[in-house]
Amino acid sequence: MSEHRRKPPQPEGGGRASARRAAQPRPGRGASGRDVPTASHSGPYTPQPAQGSRAEARRASQRGTAGRGRATTRGTGRPDKRLINYPRSDRDGWKRFVPSWKFVSGTALGVFAVIIAGAGIGIAMVSTPDPNKAAQAQNNVFYWSDGTQMVATGGSMNRQIVPISSIPRSMRDAVIAAENESFETDKGVDPMGIARAVWNMGTGGSTQGGSTITQQYVKNTYLDSDQTLKRKATELFIAIRLGVSERKDTVLAGYLNTAYYGRDAYGIQAAARAYFGKDSQDLNPSECAFLAAMLKGPNLYNPDGGIGAAATPELNEKRARERWAWVLDREVEVGRMDKAERAKYTDADFPPRVDSEQARGMTGQIGYLVDTAKAYVMKVKSITPEQMALGGYRIKTTFEKPRVDALVKAVEDTRNGLINEKERPETDTFVQFGAASVDVKTGAIVALYGGPGWDHKYFSNNANTSGVPVGSTWKPYVLAAAMEYGTQNSKGKGISVDSKYQANDLTVINNREGRPLRDASGNPFKQKNESPTPFGYVTLNEAMEKSINVPFAQLVFDVGHDKVRALAKSTGILEESMNPNTDASFALGTSTPSAIRMADSYATFAASGTHREPFSVSKVNKNGEELSGFEPPKDQRAMDSDIADNITKVLENVVQNGTATKVKKLGRPAAGKTGTTDENKSAWFVGYTPELSTSVALFRTDPNSADKKLISMKGVGDIPSLHGGDIPAEIWTEYMRDALKGVPVKEFPEAEDIGVTADSAGAPSPSPSVVAPPSPSPSTVPPASPSPSPSPSKSGRPCRPWELYCDPETTRGTTNGGTNTGTNSGTNSGVIGGPSGSPSPSQSGRPGRPGGTTGGIDDFNPE
């Protein structure tokens, strides 16, 4: 039965479906009638498909698919047709990204080929520099504020190129020893130096010039170009070309004929004439070493001085001597000078120079005016002294010739009547004058007096000097800070000028914790006044009028030194010129701002608290194109207008009733403050009208000394003790009278009473009386005092014929403000720099900050 019902086997070739059907078991019935398998795996009638079972077919199919996949990924199948086999198709996993040696070597060869091709094209495209063109320097022309020409400088002696035969061997040896020892063997470039320069410029670091003489020669032809990678690449190609195509003597002569040596001299011949008055071929080894030292950077090595705080004549002289000696030693070290020759040149043999042609061409104040304007242009446009010396600039300054002439006349008239070096050589030698005048409305520097002149071999600009303590002219900043920020006794409110402070001589000063300060021996510190008069407790207004030290020495601790610094800085005083110490003398004027900065700072009071940065240039043209950046600096709010106007009211009282009564002869509203330092080492008067702010400084120093130490002025002009209310006030008054001739008289803004009365610790309470504020107009009633005001002069001498505004009843005493901590060293810090302050919101409804705030100090960027 089972055989009869069994399906016959399928023929061969029935296909995969037939094989699958044949492989499937079919149901059957057993003897009992239940469904049972009709055949076993071992039965003789089980069909055997030729194509194999379904499992076998599936495995075969999987093997085929896997084989095809491996053919793609492992190279056993279809071959890779890419030009560059990367990532590699014949590797698995991370190994696919490991380049083959063929790939690495091929890439390296390709890059090298591109570099070679690029360098070849670059070298072919550049031309050899022409030293005749590179050495050409144009004039810089400076103009007065009215557009008339002041002076043209430079460009007149920079055009002569000399052959290598006219350059002595000692000059060549000195330059090679100092600049590029391997010059005669190198190929014109320094690969490591180039890599450094490229890295620094590419990462935004400082730019670097070429380190070889060849590269420096090429650089000299691109002084007007930007410091960019493109320009550096051009320099590199030219240097390579010169290294393989030019003789070394040609390259060296080109470098020495185009280098800048200072004194507006480009090239060795111009330098030899400028410094030594001889032709280059006549230079001796010592003079050659000097000129090689100038190549380090004449702005910092020319003994005449340069531009910047670090480029004073004394500092430059010191650097030049050190570099000169080093060049001579270096020549011995590299075998270009024998020791016997080197021994001939000691420190005493530092080569003397002839007078500068540049100095002879800029007599009187012209040299100081030009230097001030040049410094401003270089700061605004970020150009180097070498670029400035190439010329081509047309510079319109803010200097007004009539006012410059008036300031010179005021100084020289006083000098001629005061100083007699022949009769009083011990006291009257080395007396120096410096002054500056600023337009209150704009901040423009309209006049300055820098010294006797470059033609008198005086190169320091006394109007822009640092190192001369300002004495009691600093006290208004202490008072203004107290009016704005308050004191620890005013509960966060600005104080009134009617607040009383102890003023007796030798009073112990307490710190902010109320504990006495200590002197060097550990005893309580006692502040000294100019006079031993027992003043008792006085108002701050009276303390300013009489310039009493003790109240301000205590007030600075009650306010906080940081608050005073912030206030002074907001008016334009540079932070680096301030005394960094937190002592009592800080309040009495041990800081050393320049005359320019003091005039500009006091102009902030005159302008009701608006500060304007001082500037000396209003317009610049280069090659017919006007340069940007020379607009007047923007106004900055330094303090609330009420505070500034109250300071003006207090300083008007100084003129009317205090230490500056000689200024009353001006005959128009004026405010100001006298200042004198210990041992009469400096005397100042800084004052202003609504139109002009002017400062005058008097000090004594030997300009030829190494340290420029200040010398006491006691006995100068046969005056036992010279103060700011004497000569400086007289110079100020004569100048201002001429400078304001024809200008309508204008009154200061009326000051409103502000602040709270906050007496110092120990002051009597209640106050014995209420003092009415001074009238805005000049008072005709002398202040209450046991003696007439002002008190008789201590010197008791009669007026002299030369004294323009002598008042025999004027009090000579001003202050004994601090100690002398400075030296006289010229800087350009008085003119350039960004705004010193920033506007602050007002809570009083008037411009500026409200008086009495106790917030943190403004965070000003240093200039």
Side-chain angles (χ1 to χ4, degrees), residues 58-79:
R58 184 169 61 250
R59 286 194 294 271
S61 176
Q62 290 173 347
R63 285 194 299 270
T65 302
R68 285 192 297 271
R70 284 192 297 271
T72 301
T73 59
R74 296 181 180 173
T76 58
R78 186 173 65 252

mmCIF file of all heavy atoms in Angstrom, residues 58-79:
data_model
loop_
_atom_site.group_PDB
_atom_site.id
_atom_site.type_symbol
_atom_site.label_atom_id
_atom_site.label_comp_id
_atom_site.label_asym_id
_atom_site.label_seq_id
_atom_site.Cartn_x
_atom_site.Cartn_y
_atom_site.Cartn_z
ATOM 1 N N ARG A 58 22.141 26.279 -0.028
ATOM 2 C CA ARG A 58 22.295 27.563 0.668
ATOM 3 C C ARG A 58 23.759 27.829 0.982
ATOM 4 O O ARG A 58 24.246 28.959 0.819
ATOM 5 C CB ARG A 58 21.463 27.548 1.946
ATOM 6 C CG ARG A 58 21.489 28.891 2.683
ATOM 7 C CD ARG A 58 20.454 28.931 3.795
ATOM 8 N NE ARG A 58 20.698 27.903 4.799
ATOM 9 C CZ ARG A 58 19.907 26.842 4.953
ATOM 10 N NH1 ARG A 58 18.839 26.678 4.176
ATOM 11 N NH2 ARG A 58 20.177 25.941 5.891
ATOM 12 N N ARG A 59 24.466 26.803 1.458
ATOM 13 C CA ARG A 59 25.888 27.005 1.770
ATOM 14 C C ARG A 59 26.691 27.336 0.523
ATOM 15 O O ARG A 59 27.579 28.173 0.552
ATOM 16 C CB ARG A 59 26.438 25.735 2.452
ATOM 17 C CG ARG A 59 25.963 25.591 3.903
ATOM 18 C CD ARG A 59 26.788 24.540 4.613
ATOM 19 N NE ARG A 59 26.577 23.200 4.049
ATOM 20 C CZ ARG A 59 25.615 22.370 4.475
ATOM 21 N NH1 ARG A 59 24.794 22.746 5.443
ATOM 22 N NH2 ARG A 59 25.469 21.174 3.935
ATOM 23 N N ALA A 60 26.329 26.700 -0.538
ATOM 24 C CA ALA A 60 27.042 26.997 -1.784
ATOM 25 C C ALA A 60 26.796 28.430 -2.215
ATOM 26 O O ALA A 60 27.687 29.133 -2.686
ATOM 27 C CB ALA A 60 26.595 26.016 -2.877
ATOM 28 N N SER A 61 25.541 28.860 -2.053
ATOM 29 C CA SER A 61 25.206 30.245 -2.428
ATOM 30 C C SER A 61 25.973 31.240 -1.557
ATOM 31 O O SER A 61 26.481 32.248 -2.035
ATOM 32 C CB SER A 61 23.703 30.460 -2.286
ATOM 33 O OG SER A 61 23.381 31.812 -2.544
ATOM 34 N N GLN A 62 26.085 30.968 -0.240
ATOM 35 C CA GLN A 62 26.824 31.862 0.658
ATOM 36 C C GLN A 62 28.296 31.921 0.291
ATOM 37 O O GLN A 62 28.918 32.969 0.326
ATOM 38 C CB GLN A 62 26.647 31.397 2.094
ATOM 39 C CG GLN A 62 25.235 31.612 2.633
ATOM 40 C CD GLN A 62 25.041 30.993 4.000
ATOM 41 O OE1 GLN A 62 25.878 30.202 4.438
ATOM 42 N NE2 GLN A 62 23.933 31.352 4.644
ATOM 43 N N ARG A 63 28.879 30.778 -0.072
ATOM 44 C CA ARG A 63 30.284 30.783 -0.469
ATOM 45 C C ARG A 63 30.500 31.642 -1.703
ATOM 46 O O ARG A 63 31.471 32.373 -1.824
ATOM 47 C CB ARG A 63 30.759 29.339 -0.712
ATOM 48 C CG ARG A 63 30.984 28.552 0.572
ATOM 49 C CD ARG A 63 31.764 27.279 0.278
ATOM 50 N NE ARG A 63 31.041 26.395 -0.640
ATOM 51 C CZ ARG A 63 30.184 25.441 -0.254
ATOM 52 N NH1 ARG A 63 29.924 25.286 1.040
ATOM 53 N NH2 ARG A 63 29.580 24.669 -1.144
ATOM 54 N N GLY A 64 29.541 31.578 -2.608
ATOM 55 C CA GLY A 64 29.686 32.380 -3.825
ATOM 56 C C GLY A 64 29.630 33.864 -3.534
ATOM 57 O O GLY A 64 30.400 34.646 -4.055
ATOM 58 N N THR A 65 28.688 34.271 -2.670
ATOM 59 C CA THR A 65 28.559 35.695 -2.323
ATOM 60 C C THR A 65 29.790 36.195 -1.609
ATOM 61 O O THR A 65 30.307 37.278 -1.875
ATOM 62 C CB THR A 65 27.319 35.903 -1.458
ATOM 63 O OG1 THR A 65 26.180 35.434 -2.159
ATOM 64 C CG2 THR A 65 27.145 37.375 -1.118
ATOM 65 N N ALA A 66 30.268 35.420 -0.644
ATOM 66 C CA ALA A 66 31.477 35.822 0.085
ATOM 67 C C ALA A 66 32.664 35.940 -0.832
ATOM 68 O O ALA A 66 33.485 36.829 -0.718
ATOM 69 C CB ALA A 66 31.747 34.806 1.204
ATOM 70 N N GLY A 67 32.761 35.065 -1.755
ATOM 71 C CA GLY A 67 33.877 35.132 -2.695
ATOM 72 C C GLY A 67 33.860 36.394 -3.503
ATOM 73 O O GLY A 67 34.861 37.035 -3.738
ATOM 74 N N ARG A 68 32.628 36.789 -3.919
ATOM 75 C CA ARG A 68 32.552 38.019 -4.728
ATOM 76 C C ARG A 68 32.918 39.244 -3.888
ATOM 77 O O ARG A 68 33.565 40.167 -4.355
ATOM 78 C CB ARG A 68 31.137 38.159 -5.289
ATOM 79 C CG ARG A 68 30.869 37.203 -6.440
ATOM 80 C CD ARG A 68 29.581 37.565 -7.140
ATOM 81 N NE ARG A 68 28.412 37.456 -6.275
ATOM 82 C CZ ARG A 68 27.729 36.309 -6.169
ATOM 83 N NH1 ARG A 68 28.098 35.217 -6.823
ATOM 84 N NH2 ARG A 68 26.658 36.260 -5.399
ATOM 85 N N GLY A 69 32.484 39.273 -2.580
ATOM 86 C CA GLY A 69 32.837 40.399 -1.707
ATOM 87 C C GLY A 69 34.322 40.497 -1.481
ATOM 88 O O GLY A 69 34.911 41.555 -1.509
ATOM 89 N N ARG A 70 34.966 39.363 -1.250
ATOM 90 C CA ARG A 70 36.405 39.402 -1.017
ATOM 91 C C ARG A 70 37.149 39.833 -2.256
ATOM 92 O O ARG A 70 38.193 40.445 -2.191
ATOM 93 C CB ARG A 70 36.890 38.025 -0.543
ATOM 94 C CG ARG A 70 36.550 37.739 0.911
ATOM 95 C CD ARG A 70 37.290 36.522 1.404
ATOM 96 N NE ARG A 70 36.921 35.298 0.694
ATOM 97 C CZ ARG A 70 35.914 34.508 1.064
ATOM 98 N NH1 ARG A 70 35.174 34.827 2.104
ATOM 99 N NH2 ARG A 70 35.640 33.412 0.392
ATOM 100 N N ALA A 71 36.618 39.593 -3.360
ATOM 101 C CA ALA A 71 37.281 40.022 -4.592
ATOM 102 C C ALA A 71 37.359 41.536 -4.660
ATOM 103 O O ALA A 71 38.303 42.092 -5.184
ATOM 104 C CB ALA A 71 36.545 39.462 -5.807
ATOM 105 N N THR A 72 36.387 42.266 -4.042
ATOM 106 C CA THR A 72 36.368 43.731 -4.079
ATOM 107 C C THR A 72 37.301 44.317 -3.040
ATOM 108 O O THR A 72 38.037 45.253 -3.309
ATOM 109 C CB THR A 72 34.941 44.239 -3.844
ATOM 110 O OG1 THR A 72 34.094 43.714 -4.860
ATOM 111 C CG2 THR A 72 34.895 45.758 -3.881
ATOM 112 N N THR A 73 37.289 43.788 -1.815
ATOM 113 C CA THR A 73 38.027 44.420 -0.715
ATOM 114 C C THR A 73 39.449 43.926 -0.571
ATOM 115 O O THR A 73 40.270 44.605 0.000
ATOM 116 C CB THR A 73 37.289 44.164 0.591
ATOM 117 O OG1 THR A 73 37.184 42.758 0.812
ATOM 118 C CG2 THR A 73 35.897 44.763 0.560
ATOM 119 N N ARG A 74 39.762 42.792 -1.039
ATOM 120 C CA ARG A 74 41.112 42.254 -0.830
ATOM 121 C C ARG A 74 41.875 42.041 -2.128
ATOM 122 O O ARG A 74 42.912 41.432 -2.134
ATOM 123 C CB ARG A 74 41.030 40.930 -0.065
ATOM 124 C CG ARG A 74 40.457 41.119 1.347
ATOM 125 C CD ARG A 74 40.409 39.810 2.087
ATOM 126 N NE ARG A 74 39.860 40.006 3.424
ATOM 127 C CZ ARG A 74 39.580 39.030 4.256
ATOM 128 N NH1 ARG A 74 39.798 37.773 3.899
ATOM 129 N NH2 ARG A 74 39.088 39.276 5.454
ATOM 130 N N GLY A 75 41.346 42.546 -3.145
ATOM 131 C CA GLY A 75 42.078 42.444 -4.390
ATOM 132 C C GLY A 75 41.978 41.128 -5.080
ATOM 133 O O GLY A 75 42.639 40.892 -6.081
ATOM 134 N N THR A 76 41.155 40.205 -4.580
ATOM 135 C CA THR A 76 41.029 38.899 -5.227
ATOM 136 C C THR A 76 39.971 38.911 -6.313
ATOM 137 O O THR A 76 39.836 37.953 -7.055
ATOM 138 C CB THR A 76 40.661 37.832 -4.181
ATOM 139 O OG1 THR A 76 39.441 38.232 -3.549
ATOM 140 C CG2 THR A 76 41.749 37.707 -3.131
ATOM 141 N N GLY A 77 39.203 40.062 -6.310
ATOM 142 C CA GLY A 77 38.168 40.194 -7.324
ATOM 143 C C GLY A 77 38.538 41.259 -8.324
ATOM 144 O O GLY A 77 39.617 41.286 -8.879
ATOM 145 N N ARG A 78 37.600 42.253 -8.476
ATOM 146 C CA ARG A 78 37.804 43.326 -9.455
ATOM 147 C C ARG A 78 38.978 44.208 -9.018
ATOM 148 O O ARG A 78 39.020 44.672 -7.884
ATOM 149 C CB ARG A 78 36.515 44.143 -9.542
ATOM 150 C CG ARG A 78 36.568 45.207 -10.632
ATOM 151 C CD ARG A 78 35.204 45.892 -10.802
ATOM 152 N NE ARG A 78 34.829 46.636 -9.597
ATOM 153 C CZ ARG A 78 33.878 46.213 -8.788
ATOM 154 N NH1 ARG A 78 33.230 45.081 -9.012
ATOM 155 N NH2 ARG A 78 33.555 46.929 -7.717
ATOM 156 N N PRO A 79 39.937 44.555 -9.814
ATOM 157 C CA PRO A 79 41.099 45.378 -9.435
ATOM 158 C C PRO A 79 40.685 46.827 -9.200
ATOM 159 O O PRO A 79 39.709 47.302 -9.758
ATOM 160 C CB PRO A 79 42.034 45.247 -10.637
ATOM 161 C CG PRO A 79 41.127 44.947 -11.792
ATOM 162 C CD PRO A 79 40.036 44.091 -11.221
#
